[in-house]
Amino acid sequence: IISQHLSTQPEPHLKQFPELPKSQYTAPKYKGYDYDKIQSLRKSYLTPNVASYYKKPLLITSGRMQWLFDHEGRRYLDMFGGIVTVSVGHCHPKVNQALEEQLHTLWHTTNIYMHPKVHEYAEKLVSKMPGDLKNVYFVNSGSEANDLALLISRLYTGNYEAISFRNAYHGASPYVMGLTAHSTWRYSLPGISNGIHHAMNPDPYTGIWGGKHCRNSLVQTTRNCSCDPNGCCEAADKYYEQLEQIFKFSLPRGKVAAMFAESIQGVGGSVQFPKGYLKRACELVRANGGLFISDEVQTGFARTGENYWVFQSHDIVPDIVTMAKGIGNGFPLAAVVTTNKIAECLTEAFHFNTYGGNPLASSVGIACLDVIDEEKLQKNSLEVGTYLLKGLEKLRDKYEVIGDVRGQGLMIGVELVSNRETRQHLSAPHFVEIWENCKDMGVLFGRGGLNANVLRIKPPMCITKEDADYSLDVLEIALKNFLDNTKIH
């Protein structure tokens, strides 16, 4: 497959077929249904909206740390972490052990009875939170967490209207689908908008305003701007004025329930906001009677390296924080963390989650927190992420098809374009050619952005600099193959 794409030799410092970094793990031989049988069952019994990556979807049968293995035993470097979900590594031995021990003790009671693990876990989790964020409600997914956060904000404030950003993703349940501002994720049904307003997305790369001094990022855009690198960001001022317009014209005066913001947008393509913008937005929301809700579903748990939670890089302490994905390393687990005062509003009626905080999930959650600390994964995310970002910046400066590189730590986006000056997104067929070629060489990148032209790089936080080098080599070969064989108009 690879040879069909390689019509020319790569540059001298690159190998034509880069050698995968070594792994001490050997995948067990797969003994289940064959590939064609799985394809047939998927088509027959899974709902048709369940889509797969790649022209020939992968059949993944095992995983270990940063590695995935298909049914034929081929190894892949997982640079997407199960959609930013595998935080400490596939089948991490300590997490496996914690789950196995709990399996032999107690699976489920619901919270009508006390069991030790949920209390141990709650104490350990809130110790990672700043300020008065000391009350937690456990659920099972990010959509559930944001669903509950919206409910809490409306109960506590007595207000109904809520705000999120265009290009935001906050889940797909009927209650929060309106918060998600991607047409591709919204069904045409009454009630979806549900009192929700979408603010202009403050994107320094593809937005109306922004430039090379606007982001809190190791790598800046190549757009020019007149902002002071060490001072006020004019783009932030202008996007803030647009947010004010919603308060002036679209909301009841002084009455908003909440504003939701991903600390770095995930599904939208790893978009970072202008410096200082989110802090001012938080102040505006509170001045109008609302709560500020940080969605850390994809960004939390030390992924960005500099901070445990990315809202800390915006110099804010939210009223509510939602979290999922990396919280359980792939186990169904999520949480809503808020203050005791705000949480009191839930006592107005009986509210219950059957599986939230169950013994199995709580044991996994405790183990994940321990591994992040014991293996210094926050430090690793910063060091390897910085190394990777610098390498990607060099590729951007070398290849016009890379329009932007952005992110913090191991929360990275690489936006591919057909025209760097206009920032026109690379077409789907062209993007797929590069993306598939990377897969053929053993590297799995994610895909995001409204136009699906952003490589999403969010691997397990255990990856090494050797893995980063391999990913960079593979991406460069794929880019060169594409440019040697394609004319972009």
Side-chain angles (χ1 to χ4, degrees), residues 321-337:
V321 182
T322 59
M323 56 193 74
K325 291 189 177 288
I327 190 175
N329 199 45
F331 199 91
L333 174 61
V336 178
V337 179

Side-chain angles (χ1 to χ4, degrees), residues 19-91:
E19 184 179 350
L20 272 170
K22 289 181 171 52
S23 170
Q24 296 178 342
Y25 179 74
T26 301
K29 185 175 176 60
Y30 174 63
K31 299 177 181 178
Y33 288 143
D34 65 27
Y35 186 91
D36 291 338
K37 176 72 171 179
I38 293 289
Q39 283 276 64
S40 176
L41 292 172
R42 188 178 185 87
K43 184 176 180 180
S44 298
Y45 300 121
L46 297 187
T47 56
N49 63 300
V50 180
S52 299
Y53 270 7
Y54 306 117
K55 295 173 184 176
K56 183 179 181 182
L58 295 175
L59 176 54
I60 299 297
T61 58
S62 63
R64 188 75 168 191
M65 302 307 285
Q66 65 268 51
W67 303 106
L68 290 172
F69 299 82
D70 69 13
H71 63 295
E72 296 176 332
R74 185 176 181 190
R75 182 160 53 102
Y76 298 88
L77 179 59
D78 182 8
M79 293 299 286
F80 196 26
I83 313 184
V84 209
T85 300
V86 179
S87 51
V88 302
H90 292 280
C91 296

